[in-house]
Amino acid sequence: MPENTRPTRHCPDCDGFPRVAITTGLRTHTGARHTVKVTCRTCNGTGLVPRRLATSVGR
């Protein structure tokens, strides 16, 4: 049975996970781990790319 799938619009750099928290290994004064929040620069934190880029990436 054929599937009619469209190219995904997920960002090729972050795979749809545009914001992540990375632990630095340090601890705050309360004992919690210090984290740095990082946003994908390619999709500007949306997790998606414009359709014109999604079609060219999928080929």
Side-chain angles (χ1 to χ4, degrees):
M1 180 177 237
E3 293 184 22
N4 296 329
T5 58
R6 292 184 173 170
T8 59
R9 292 181 53 203
H10 286 215
C11 175
D13 289 341
C14 66
D15 286 332
F17 296 96
R19 297 197 62 166
V20 295
I22 301 171
T23 59
T24 61
L26 302 175
R27 298 210 179 245
T28 64
H29 66 282
T30 61
R33 293 188 179 186
H34 182 62
T35 58
V36 177
K37 294 179 179 116
V38 181
T39 303
C40 177
R41 289 186 271 168
T42 302
C43 64
N44 295 322
T46 62
L48 303 173
V49 292
R51 288 186 193 261
R52 60 182 169 78
L53 291 177
T55 56
S56 64
V57 168
R59 290 185 182 176

